[in-house]
Amino acid sequence: MRAGTFLIAGAVLSAATVLGGGIAAAEPADHISHDGVYRVGVDIRPGTWESPGPADPARSCDWRRLRLIEGDNTNMSYIIENNYTKLGPIRVIVKPTDAGFKTENCGPWRMVPPTPTGSAGH
């Protein structure tokens, strides 16, 4: 092969390496700052979540664990567990098998660190 062919092949290989690498996907979040539907394992992590309660005290907090994310998610057969409350704080265990989690007027959510288990040598 000629030197020009090697140069072109090297440039193509470099471009393929850069383009093939892509952008790394973000890790699922351990906080939710606003209302919405979040995919478990993609947008948020499974685990125990806590919210202080309704962002607007005149309205209730509405949260739902979902088995399927589709449409406006009001279909009762898609809801695994839910609550509609004006009381806080609120705790929810989102499971890895849940498809999604919907929150409306609950304020910010944060993931609660797991409680250590075992005696750690005591």
Side-chain angles (χ1 to χ4, degrees):
M1 279 199 229
R2 293 190 297 195
T5 304
F6 283 118
L7 186 59
I8 292 170
V12 168
L13 182 58
S14 295
T17 301
V18 169
L19 295 174
I23 298 171
E27 290 292 316
D30 59 3
H31 67 280
I32 298 172
S33 59
H34 56 278
D35 294 352
V37 176
Y38 298 87
R39 296 170 295 167
V40 177
V42 177
D43 301 322
I44 62 168
R45 292 190 227 176
T48 303
W49 288 82
E50 186 174 71
S51 163
D56 176 356
R59 296 177 32 232
S60 293
C61 160
D62 181 9
W63 63 263
R64 301 168 187 196
R65 291 177 46 231
L66 302 168
R67 73 178 81 254
L68 179 66
I69 298 172
E70 184 176 280
D72 66 359
N73 296 295
T74 58
N75 185 326
M76 292 304 287
S77 66
Y78 299 161
I79 300 171
I80 300 167
E81 180 183 18
N82 69 307
N83 201 350
Y84 189 76
T85 183
K86 287 189 176 185
L87 303 175
I90 302 162
R91 274 201 175 191
V92 177
I93 298 174
V94 176
K95 297 184 179 180
T97 53
D98 295 353
F101 180 72
K102 180 179 181 177
T103 177
E104 187 175 321
N105 192 48
C106 297
W109 292 87
R110 70 174 181 87
M111 191 166 208
V112 178
T115 306
T117 57
S119 62
H122 295 287

